[in-house]
mmCIF file of all heavy atoms in Angstrom:
data_model
loop_
_atom_site.group_PDB
_atom_site.id
_atom_site.type_symbol
_atom_site.label_atom_id
_atom_site.label_comp_id
_atom_site.label_asym_id
_atom_site.label_seq_id
_atom_site.Cartn_x
_atom_site.Cartn_y
_atom_site.Cartn_z
ATOM 1 N N ALA A 253 42.313 17.169 9.707
ATOM 2 C CA ALA A 253 42.841 18.434 9.196
ATOM 3 C C ALA A 253 43.214 19.305 10.382
ATOM 4 O O ALA A 253 42.487 19.357 11.380
ATOM 5 C CB ALA A 253 41.814 19.144 8.322
ATOM 6 N N ALA A 254 44.367 19.976 10.296
ATOM 7 C CA ALA A 254 44.788 20.920 11.335
ATOM 8 C C ALA A 254 44.618 22.323 10.772
ATOM 9 O O ALA A 254 45.022 22.623 9.648
ATOM 10 C CB ALA A 254 46.242 20.670 11.709
ATOM 11 N N LEU A 255 43.966 23.156 11.600
ATOM 12 C CA LEU A 255 43.585 24.478 11.132
ATOM 13 C C LEU A 255 44.321 25.528 11.965
ATOM 14 O O LEU A 255 44.324 25.441 13.191
ATOM 15 C CB LEU A 255 42.072 24.609 11.357
ATOM 16 C CG LEU A 255 41.250 25.562 10.519
ATOM 17 C CD1 LEU A 255 41.357 25.212 9.046
ATOM 18 C CD2 LEU A 255 39.793 25.520 10.971
ATOM 19 N N ASP A 256 44.949 26.523 11.307
ATOM 20 C CA ASP A 256 45.516 27.646 12.050
ATOM 21 C C ASP A 256 44.430 28.678 12.279
ATOM 22 O O ASP A 256 43.865 29.220 11.331
ATOM 23 C CB ASP A 256 46.697 28.258 11.280
ATOM 24 C CG ASP A 256 47.968 27.449 11.509
ATOM 25 O OD1 ASP A 256 48.050 26.769 12.558
ATOM 26 O OD2 ASP A 256 48.851 27.478 10.643
ATOM 27 N N THR A 257 44.125 28.921 13.568
ATOM 28 C CA THR A 257 43.038 29.835 13.940
ATOM 29 C C THR A 257 43.593 30.871 14.903
ATOM 30 O O THR A 257 44.720 30.739 15.398
ATOM 31 C CB THR A 257 41.896 29.075 14.655
ATOM 32 O OG1 THR A 257 42.300 28.810 16.013
ATOM 33 C CG2 THR A 257 41.573 27.760 13.958
ATOM 34 N N PRO A 258 42.802 31.905 15.216
ATOM 35 C CA PRO A 258 43.249 32.887 16.213
ATOM 36 C C PRO A 258 43.529 32.251 17.579
ATOM 37 O O PRO A 258 44.177 32.863 18.428
ATOM 38 C CB PRO A 258 42.060 33.857 16.303
ATOM 39 C CG PRO A 258 41.360 33.724 14.995
ATOM 40 C CD PRO A 258 41.541 32.303 14.580
ATOM 41 N N TYR A 259 43.063 31.032 17.806
ATOM 42 C CA TYR A 259 43.298 30.342 19.087
ATOM 43 C C TYR A 259 44.426 29.319 18.983
ATOM 44 O O TYR A 259 44.573 28.461 19.834
ATOM 45 C CB TYR A 259 42.016 29.639 19.547
ATOM 46 C CG TYR A 259 40.940 30.611 19.936
ATOM 47 C CD1 TYR A 259 40.015 31.042 19.000
ATOM 48 C CD2 TYR A 259 40.879 31.127 21.226
ATOM 49 C CE1 TYR A 259 39.034 31.960 19.347
ATOM 50 C CE2 TYR A 259 39.906 32.045 21.581
ATOM 51 C CZ TYR A 259 38.991 32.459 20.642
ATOM 52 O OH TYR A 259 38.037 33.369 20.989
ATOM 53 N N GLY A 260 45.188 29.407 17.916
ATOM 54 C CA GLY A 260 46.250 28.440 17.711
ATOM 55 C C GLY A 260 45.810 27.340 16.768
ATOM 56 O O GLY A 260 44.758 27.445 16.120
ATOM 57 N N ARG A 261 46.603 26.279 16.713
ATOM 58 C CA ARG A 261 46.303 25.198 15.776
ATOM 59 C C ARG A 261 45.276 24.241 16.386
ATOM 60 O O ARG A 261 45.466 23.755 17.506
ATOM 61 C CB ARG A 261 47.596 24.455 15.423
ATOM 62 C CG ARG A 261 47.418 23.480 14.287
ATOM 63 C CD ARG A 261 48.738 23.085 13.664
ATOM 64 N NE ARG A 261 49.318 24.185 12.885
ATOM 65 C CZ ARG A 261 50.360 24.046 12.065
ATOM 66 N NH1 ARG A 261 50.955 22.865 11.921
ATOM 67 N NH2 ARG A 261 50.827 25.074 11.403
ATOM 68 N N LEU A 262 44.178 23.995 15.667
ATOM 69 C CA LEU A 262 43.119 23.110 16.144
ATOM 70 C C LEU A 262 42.924 21.985 15.129
ATOM 71 O O LEU A 262 43.000 22.208 13.920
ATOM 72 C CB LEU A 262 41.806 23.882 16.323
ATOM 73 C CG LEU A 262 41.845 25.053 17.326
ATOM 74 C CD1 LEU A 262 40.511 25.807 17.311
ATOM 75 C CD2 LEU A 262 42.192 24.573 18.733
ATOM 76 N N VAL A 263 42.648 20.789 15.650
ATOM 77 C CA VAL A 263 42.571 19.608 14.785
ATOM 78 C C VAL A 263 41.186 18.981 14.849
ATOM 79 O O VAL A 263 40.595 18.861 15.932
ATOM 80 C CB VAL A 263 43.623 18.554 15.221
ATOM 81 C CG1 VAL A 263 43.594 17.336 14.285
ATOM 82 C CG2 VAL A 263 45.010 19.166 15.250
ATOM 83 N N GLY A 264 40.664 18.578 13.684
ATOM 84 C CA GLY A 264 39.368 17.900 13.640
ATOM 85 C C GLY A 264 39.328 16.890 12.507
ATOM 86 O O GLY A 264 40.309 16.731 11.765
#
Side-chain angles (χ1 to χ4, degrees):
L255 205 59
D256 279 335
T257 77
Y259 292 92
R261 190 162 288 191
L262 300 175
V263 182

